[in-house]
């Protein structure tokens, strides 16, 4: 064996706890190392392999100990010696360096790093992460004990304090269970009880016991039992009285709640922070079972605006970091989805140079208006923790048993006008003869109040007095009138109209009130379909009370974006932050590289805001939207603003996208064989239901994106509804614009709902060769990443048909996208070019993201 020099190689100092001379990334594949077995060369040779250098270094530093079976740590060893697993050994099973390798060959040789962490690829690190995740999950589960369960499923079977003291709530039950399943579960475990109730769809159940002894035995037996992958928790029940217990009306003072004089019978008398910062209740913090455990209650501010405690600059930095982490998932998943035998795209190879990002993250644009920016607010109608009929936001998730509603007066994203109308409606409910909607029993009348606002066009923004910028207000009251007498209902509607009119006039300054609409919805949740009946109520005037009208044609308000005036119907989608939306649409237009020869597809166009604001920069706009009222608004908006180069189609994008691209582009160019193949495939896709289509729930609309409203069941995608019209004759085009106009540049801007694009739409966008630039605007970066995986992953040489689709419901959105990418027709993928976040929702964790995707076909380079 050749002898080696006695001097050791000079090692550069470690960088951030990592060895700069070795694997910079523990997850590096063996293929990247390219270590080959070699025969030791003479020290006189000028060139030596990296493997030989590594061997020399380790022999020199280890000395005699290199022959031992288990080298012991020595001060002379490099700090990172044996702290990383040898990737070559891990993949091949052998390493040419043997014991002299500075990397560990197996878990037994692995040493802990100087920063007290293990190699992330090691079993020790995986176990540590699993324990950490388990601790987080356990902490989350423990927090359930601090979530106030606001009411039990009772049917008048006792209302005394004794009943409350002998009640418990079981948390983490299967959602598919109902009362019979819960009773069987208790019987199987030998639990004695008085009554047990559970509603299907919830994760909580309510149990009442005969005695304290029964309760204690049940708690000891049930606490910690595993049901599936969940651990059962026993929580205190904090019920409140139903409407039957409320005898006298309660009044409100302005927008603030008065302190409750005493807790209603059966209610836990515990102090909690209300929305205005005061405390209600008598201050008694004893638990129901006398264990002295206090229950913390989230306020509406905590639920709706979780970032409100941070400065706005910190909020933007927080969101930017979150977006960056989400974008890294695109790189990782696209790498995994890349078919075997196909080279990785260049953007994946270069991602390491920019920290694992798929493209450059340009930054984040802040909102011009930080407080009171929402032009649409949906308020749930329910009961507060003090059993008062309340109009505001729910304090938690219904499936977790939380139904309490709190007033919105302390939510910084809600406008003063919306708060005032919520207060007026709440005061009216105190005296109404019709009940508030009961989510446990699925019964009641009053369900939800929606306040939509329209700005005065051309008026400069007054941040100090935002009310003066609002010129129009539409109120939509959602009810369920199926089981109520028409005469009583009509009488209540007359009183409601008078109450809103009087409240608007009495306010100082007076509030605008343009339209009052009733939406009749019979469903379980407040997510109403687009075809839910609408009824326009006449607003009483000072000189008399006109008769009620059923004409809903004029139930519209107006707003402005980029000096254009937009008409908004009750259920049409319109961005909730108008000023920030101007920034968003301007950015999308700049990145789209528009021109007079551009054909712009505005997919999921809503009321046409994106297409109309960019119409002056393109040859023609084709808008696609499935909400019929939104399409009607889009046509009206084009007429109002004198825009004639737009056409709006009322249909699902997946049903018409392929045929529209074919009609406008295929007659104009003779595409090469590859492009024709993709075009033929798109026709097949449009006509047949792909197997992947069955793997994704139908998007209920192309316009239902309002991420802030996900915290309550009152919030809904506004574009949901019946099957849209499939005809294409609804258009608004100038006489000179026909299908024969030569469009050399084809661009699509997509702004889908939170669920993302339908798989069929993704395939059509991907396989049509003429479409070379795509601007993706998303209110849910997670679904943007999932859709981008399919759009940007190279096609396999041989298309794999997804035969086994079982288990797709348990996949993540990214995992499902990788699964569908296997069956992507042969076509050139897009590549991410740049991305930017736009904050449309200050004080919340949500924000919009814009990503530019591009590709170039050589066949069209001269077009």
């Amino acid at each position: 064996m050749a002898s080696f020099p006695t001097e050791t190689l000079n090692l550069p100092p470690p960088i951030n706890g990592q060895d700069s001379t070795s694997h910079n990334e523990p997850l590096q594949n063996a293929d990247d190392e390219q270590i080959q077995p070699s025969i030791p060369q003479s020290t006189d040779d000028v060139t030596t392999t990296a493997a030989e250098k590594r061997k020399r270094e380790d022999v020199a530093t280890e000395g005699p100990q290199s022959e031992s079976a288990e080298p012991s740590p020595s001060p002379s060893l490099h700090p990172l010696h044996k702290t990383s697993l040898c990737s070559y050994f891990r993949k091949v099973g052998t390493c040419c360096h043997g014991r002299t390798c500075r990397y560990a060959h197996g878990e037994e040789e692995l040493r802990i790093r100087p920063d007290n962490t293990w190699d992330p690829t090691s079993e020790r690190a995986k176990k540590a992460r699993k324990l950490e995740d388990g601790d987080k999950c356990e902490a989350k589960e423990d927090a359930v004990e601090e979530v106030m369960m606001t009411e039990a499923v009772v049917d008048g079977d006792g209302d005394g304090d004794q009943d409350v003291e002998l009640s418990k709530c079981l948390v983490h039950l299967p959602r598919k269970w109902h009362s019979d399943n819960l009773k069987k579960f208790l019987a199987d475990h030998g639990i004695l009880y008085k009554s047990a109730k559970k509603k299907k769809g919830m994760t909580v159940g309510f149990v009442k016991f005969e005695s304290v002894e029964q309760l204690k035995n049940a708690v000891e037996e049930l606490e910690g039992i595993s049901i599936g992958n969940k651990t059962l928790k026993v929580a205190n029940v904090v019920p409140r009285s139903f409407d039957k217990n409320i005898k006298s009306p309660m009044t409100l003072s302005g927008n603030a709640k008065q302190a409750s004089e005493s807790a209603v019978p059966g209610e836990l008398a515990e102090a909690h922070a209300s929305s205005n910062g005061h405390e209600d209740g008598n201050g008694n913090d004893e638990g129901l079972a006398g264990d002295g455990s206090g229950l913390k209650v989230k306020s509406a501010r905590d639920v709706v605006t979780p970032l409100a405690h941070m400065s706005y600059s910190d909020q933007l930095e927080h969101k930017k970091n979150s977006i960056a982490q989400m974008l890294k998932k695109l790189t990782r998943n696209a790498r995994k989805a890349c078919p075997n035998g196909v080279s990785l795209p260049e953007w994946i190879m270069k991602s390491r140079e920019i920290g694992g990002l798929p493209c450059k993250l340009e930054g984040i644009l802040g909102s011009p208006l930080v407080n009171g920016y929402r032009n649409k607010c949906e308020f749930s109608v329910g009961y507060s923790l003090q059993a008062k009929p309340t109009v505001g936001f729910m304090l938690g998730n219904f499936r977790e048993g939380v139904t309490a509603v709190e007033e919105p007066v302390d939510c910084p994203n809600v406008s003063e006008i919306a708060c005032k109308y919520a207060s007026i409606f709440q005061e009216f409910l105190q005296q109404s003869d019709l009940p508030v909607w009961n989510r446990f029993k699925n019964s009641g009348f009053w369900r939800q109040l929606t306040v939509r606002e329209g700005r005065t066009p051309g008026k400069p923004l007054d941040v100090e007095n935002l009310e003066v910028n609002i010129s129009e207000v539409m109120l939509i009251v959602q009810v369920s009138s199926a089981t109520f007498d028409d005469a009583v209902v009509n009488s209540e509607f007359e009183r409601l109209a008078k109450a809103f009119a009087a409240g608007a006039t009495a306010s100082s300054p007076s509030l605008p009130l343009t339209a009052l609409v009733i939406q009749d919805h019979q469903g379980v949740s407040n997510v109403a379909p687009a075809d839910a009946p609408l009824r326009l109520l006449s607003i009483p005037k000072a000189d008399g009370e006109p008769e009620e009208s059923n004409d809903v044609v004029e139930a519209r308000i107006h707003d402005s974006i980029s000096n254009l005036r937009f008409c908004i119907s009750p259920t049409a989608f319109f961005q909730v932050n108008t000023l920030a939306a101007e920034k968003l649409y301007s950015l999308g237009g700049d990145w789209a590289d528009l021109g007079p020869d551009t054909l712009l597809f505005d997919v999921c166009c809503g009321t046409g805001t994106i297409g109309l604001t960019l119409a002056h920069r393109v040859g023609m706009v084709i808008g696609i939207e499935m909400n019929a009222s939104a399409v009607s608004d889009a046509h009206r908006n084009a007429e109002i603003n004198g825009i004639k180069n737009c056409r709006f189609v009322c249909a699902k994008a997946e049903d018409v996208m392929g045929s529209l691209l074919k009609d406008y582009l295929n007659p104009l160019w003779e595409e090469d064989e590859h492009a024709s193949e993709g075009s033929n495939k798109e026709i097949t896709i449009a006509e047949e239901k792909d197997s992947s289509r069955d793997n994704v729930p139908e998007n209920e609309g192309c316009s239902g994106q309002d991420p802030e409203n996900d915290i309550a069941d009152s919030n809904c995608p506004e574009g949901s509804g019946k099957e849209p019209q499939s005809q294409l004759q609804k258009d608004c085009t100038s006489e000179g614009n026909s299908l024969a106009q030569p469009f050399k540049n084809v661009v699509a801007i997509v702004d889908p709902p939170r669920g993302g694009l339908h798989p069929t739409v993704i395939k059509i966008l991907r396989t049509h060769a003429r479409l070379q630039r795509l601007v993706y605007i998303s209110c849910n970066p997670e679904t943007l990443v999932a859709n981008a995986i399919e759009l940007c992953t190279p096609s396999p040489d041989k298309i794999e048909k997804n035969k086994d689709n079982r288990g797709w419901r348990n996949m993540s959105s990214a995992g499902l996208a990788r699964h569908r990418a296997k069956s992507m027709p042969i076509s050139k993928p897009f590549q991410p070019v740049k991305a930017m976040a736009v904050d449309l929702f200050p004080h919340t964790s949500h924000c919009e993201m814009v990503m530019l995707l591009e590709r170039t076909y050589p066949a069209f380079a001269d077009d």
Side-chain angles (χ1 to χ4, degrees):
M1 182 174 180
S3 60
F4 298 99
T6 56
E7 61 182 21
T8 60
L9 298 176
N10 294 326
L11 299 176
I15 301 174
N16 295 331
Q18 301 290 337
D19 190 354
S20 61
T21 67
S22 60
H23 303 241
N24 290 329
E25 295 181 4
L27 293 175
Q28 183 178 4
N29 294 328
D31 296 338
D32 298 332
E33 294 183 44
Q34 298 296 325
I35 301 177
Q36 302 293 336
S38 60
I39 299 174
Q41 300 177 0
S42 171
T43 56
D44 297 330
D45 294 341
V46 178
T47 58
T48 57
T49 64
E52 186 63 20
K53 288 182 179 179
R54 224 171 49 171
K55 181 176 179 180
R56 292 180 181 182
E57 180 183 339
D58 289 333
V59 169
T61 55
E62 292 183 38
Q65 289 188 355
S66 62
E67 302 293 334
S68 62
E70 186 70 24
S72 58
S74 171
S76 62
L77 296 178
H78 192 274
L80 296 180
H81 180 72
K82 298 289 185 182
T83 60
S84 297
L85 292 170
C86 178
S87 59
Y88 193 81
F89 181 87
R90 184 170 59 245
K91 184 173 183 179
V92 181
T94 59
C95 176
C96 64
H97 304 98
R99 293 288 182 181
T100 63
C101 182
R102 70 167 9 151
Y103 303 103
H105 294 169
E107 297 286 334
E108 62 279 358
E109 290 188 6
L110 189 65
R111 295 175 51 222
I112 195 170
R113 293 178 173 180
D115 58 354
N116 292 324
T117 62
W118 294 96
D119 183 340
T121 63
S122 66
E123 292 298 324
R124 290 184 177 91
K126 293 177 181 178
K127 289 181 180 179
R129 286 197 298 269
K130 188 174 182 180
L131 290 174
E132 183 180 356
D133 294 340
D135 292 341
K136 291 180 180 179
C137 182
E138 184 177 352
K140 186 176 180 180
E141 293 177 354
D142 292 340
V144 171
E145 298 181 1
E146 297 184 350
V147 174
M148 184 168 289
M149 302 301 164
T150 57
E151 57 182 291
V153 186
V154 295
D155 294 314
D157 53 347
D159 283 321
D161 290 342
Q162 185 68 18
D163 288 328
V164 175
E165 293 173 355
L166 296 178
S167 299
K168 283 293 179 180
C169 177
L170 305 184
V171 188
H172 296 153
L173 297 175
R175 293 181 61 184
K176 63 181 180 180
W177 278 17
H178 45 73
S179 295
D180 292 340
N181 299 103
L182 177 58
K183 292 176 181 178
K184 183 180 184 301
F185 170 78
L186 295 174
D188 291 343
H189 287 80
I191 304 298
L192 300 177
Y193 61 93
K194 179 180 178 181
S195 64
K197 309 240 176 173
K198 183 185 181 300
K199 187 176 179 63
K200 187 175 181 180
M202 299 178 60
T203 59
V204 297
F206 301 90
V207 183
K208 191 174 294 185
F209 300 93
E210 295 279 2
S211 63
V212 175
E213 184 178 358
Q214 277 189 6
L215 184 146
K216 289 183 178 179
N217 293 336
V219 171
E220 294 176 359
E221 179 68 23
L222 295 175
E223 185 71 40
I225 291 180
S226 296
I227 303 179
N229 59 348
K230 295 287 185 179
T231 301
L232 188 67
K233 292 290 181 180
V234 181
N236 292 324
V237 177
V238 187
R240 52 150 180 81
S241 297
F242 289 103
D243 49 313
K244 63 181 180 180
N245 301 104
I246 302 174
K247 301 299 182 181
S248 59
M250 306 178 192
T251 58
L252 301 174
S253 176
N255 288 328
K257 291 186 292 184
Q258 296 178 350
S260 58
E261 297 179 358
S262 61
V264 296
E267 180 181 355
L268 175 65
E270 175 178 323
H272 80 283
S274 65
S275 63
N276 58 5
H278 299 292
E279 291 187 348
D280 298 314
N282 59 9
N284 182 10
D285 55 5
E286 293 184 359
L288 292 178
D291 56 2
S293 61
L295 301 180
K296 298 179 181 179
V297 184
K298 286 186 176 181
S299 66
R301 178 187 177 95
D302 298 331
V303 175
V304 178
T305 54
L307 303 185
H309 65 283
M310 302 169 60
S311 67
Y312 190 53
S313 59
D314 290 341
Q315 292 182 32
L316 294 178
E317 187 65 25
H318 171 79
K319 293 182 181 184
K320 180 183 176 182
N321 294 336
S322 298
I323 291 293
Q325 294 303 317
M326 186 62 65
L327 285 175
K328 291 178 181 179
K329 290 185 178 181
L330 172 56
T331 307
R332 294 196 299 267
N333 284 278
R335 181 188 293 268
K336 293 179 182 178
C338 191
N340 294 331
V342 178
S343 300
L344 290 175
E346 184 180 3
W347 64 270
I348 294 182
M349 302 300 294
K350 291 184 177 180
S351 63
R352 293 184 178 181
E353 302 175 4
I354 51 178
L357 294 173
C359 58
K360 182 179 180 181
L361 180 59
E362 301 283 344
I364 182 169
L365 295 177
S367 173
L369 193 61
V370 177
N371 295 319
Y373 57 84
R374 290 190 65 93
N375 57 38
K376 176 186 176 185
C377 293
E378 295 173 316
F379 300 117
S380 297
V381 176
Y383 289 96
S384 69
L385 294 171
Q386 290 73 41
K388 302 175 184 177
T390 304
V391 179
F393 296 117
M394 292 180 63
L395 297 183
N397 201 315
F398 170 72
R399 72 171 60 100
E400 297 174 354
V402 180
T403 60
V405 176
E406 186 179 280
E407 297 168 10
V409 292
D410 202 30
C411 298
N413 59 343
V414 179
S415 69
E416 287 294 328
I417 289 179
C419 283
K420 289 178 180 179
Y421 273 116
S423 179
I424 293 171
F425 188 39
Q426 178 172 306
E427 187 172 357
F428 169 80
L429 294 179
Q430 314 293 336
Q431 307 173 31
S432 175
D433 296 330
L434 299 177
V436 167
W437 182 256
N438 187 314
R439 288 173 177 79
F440 282 104
K441 299 180 181 179
N442 295 331
S443 63
F445 186 80
W446 305 108
R447 303 185 59 147
Q448 178 178 273
L449 170 68
T450 301
V451 182
R452 306 197 71 161
E453 305 171 7
R455 291 186 308 156
T456 304
K459 192 170 185 177
L461 179 65
D462 186 354
V463 180
E464 299 298 329
N465 188 12
L466 296 176
E467 294 184 32
V468 301
N469 299 303
I470 306 302
S471 59
E472 298 180 60
V473 171
M474 177 193 295
L475 304 179
I476 304 114
V477 179
Q478 187 183 100
V479 301
S480 179
S481 63
T483 59
F484 296 92
D485 182 71
D486 290 342
V488 176
V489 170
N490 291 333
S491 176
E492 283 295 285
F493 286 163
E494 291 180 6
R495 293 181 56 243
L496 177 67
K498 292 179 181 178
F500 276 128
T505 304
S507 180
S508 179
S510 61
L511 305 177
L513 181 55
T514 307
L516 174 57
V517 180
I518 299 295
Q519 183 185 57
D520 203 342
H521 173 49
Q522 312 303 327
V524 174
S525 74
N526 290 352
V527 181
D531 63 342
L534 298 178
R535 180 179 178 182
L536 179 65
L537 300 183
S538 294
I539 302 173
K541 305 298 181 181
D543 55 351
E545 299 182 1
E547 294 182 0
E548 190 175 284
S549 171
N550 292 321
D551 181 15
V552 298
V553 175
E554 296 304 324
R556 290 180 171 89
I557 59 173
H558 300 83
D559 208 332
S560 59
I561 293 181
S562 302
N563 297 320
L564 297 181
R565 188 169 172 81
F566 290 92
C567 180
I568 307 170
S569 59
T571 60
F573 172 76
F574 196 81
Q575 289 287 3
V576 298
N577 188 339
T578 310
L579 297 178
E582 292 183 355
K583 285 188 173 185
L584 178 70
Y585 298 157
S586 176
L587 176 67
D590 293 341
W591 284 11
D593 192 21
L594 307 175
D597 58 351
T598 299
L599 174 62
L600 174 63
F601 282 91
D602 184 3
V603 184
C604 303
C605 65
T607 57
T609 50
I610 297 179
L612 291 173
T613 55
L614 301 177
H616 67 286
R617 301 169 61 178
V618 301
M620 187 172 185
V621 176
I622 306 295
I624 307 173
E625 170 62 47
M626 65 169 289
N627 188 323
S629 63
V631 173
S632 177
D633 287 342
H635 285 101
R636 182 184 291 247
N637 292 333
E639 294 176 5
I640 292 175
N641 296 284
I643 298 174
K644 298 182 179 181
N645 62 334
C646 294
R647 176 185 180 188
F648 297 99
V649 179
C650 183
K652 289 183 179 179
E654 58 268 25
D655 293 340
V656 300
M657 188 73 186
S659 59
L660 285 171
L661 282 167
K662 179 172 177 284
D663 292 343
Y664 277 88
L665 298 177
N666 284 0
L668 306 179
W669 293 276
E670 290 294 329
E671 303 188 72
D672 62 3
E673 182 180 354
H674 175 75
S676 297
E677 181 182 354
S679 178
N680 292 333
K681 282 183 168 56
E682 81 177 18
I683 299 173
T684 304
I685 294 168
E687 294 177 349
E688 299 178 359
K689 289 187 176 181
D690 188 85
S691 59
S692 63
R693 183 168 181 167
D694 298 330
N695 290 348
V696 178
E698 283 286 340
N699 289 332
E700 295 184 343
C702 286
S703 57
Q705 45 190 336
D706 190 356
E708 296 182 57
N709 285 334
D710 288 346
I711 50 90
D713 70 340
S714 65
N715 310 301
C716 63
E718 301 161 271
S720 60
K722 64 181 180 180
E723 190 73 10
Q725 307 172 29
S726 60
Q727 70 271 18
L728 306 182
Q729 69 267 25
K730 285 194 173 184
D731 55 11
C732 179
T733 60
S734 64
E735 296 179 359
N737 286 325
S738 66
L739 298 184
Q741 181 173 346
F743 299 112
K744 294 184 178 181
N745 184 29
V746 183
V747 178
I749 296 181
V750 298
D751 188 10
R754 291 186 62 77
L757 292 171
H758 193 280
T760 304
V761 178
I762 295 175
K763 286 191 176 182
I764 293 171
L765 294 173
R766 168 72 182 263
T767 57
H768 203 289
R770 293 300 309 177
L771 181 62
Q772 301 185 37
R773 185 173 292 104
L774 174 65
V775 178
Y776 197 126
I777 299 175
S778 175
C779 60
N780 186 359
E782 183 176 357
T783 54
L784 184 153
V785 167
N787 291 165
I789 291 172
E790 295 183 71
L791 292 167
C792 301
T793 300
S795 301
D797 294 333
K798 183 179 180 181
I799 300 176
E800 301 179 19
K801 188 172 182 180
N802 296 326
K803 297 180 180 179
D804 186 8
N805 292 324
R806 292 178 298 178
W808 67 268
R809 292 183 182 275
N810 297 324
M811 294 183 184
S812 66
S813 58
L816 188 58
R818 296 198 309 268
H819 183 66
R820 286 198 295 259
K822 297 177 182 178
S823 61
M824 182 64 67
I826 297 175
S827 55
K828 187 168 184 178
F830 288 91
Q831 66 176 14
V833 178
K834 52 186 174 181
M836 178 174 280
V838 183
D839 187 20
L840 264 69
F841 316 104
H843 307 302
T844 76
S845 57
H846 302 284
C847 72
E848 297 271 339
M849 185 166 72
V850 184
M851 177 178 284
L852 174 62
L853 305 173
E854 286 184 346
R855 62 182 174 182
T856 302
Y857 278 96
F860 307 121
D862 297 329
D863 288 344

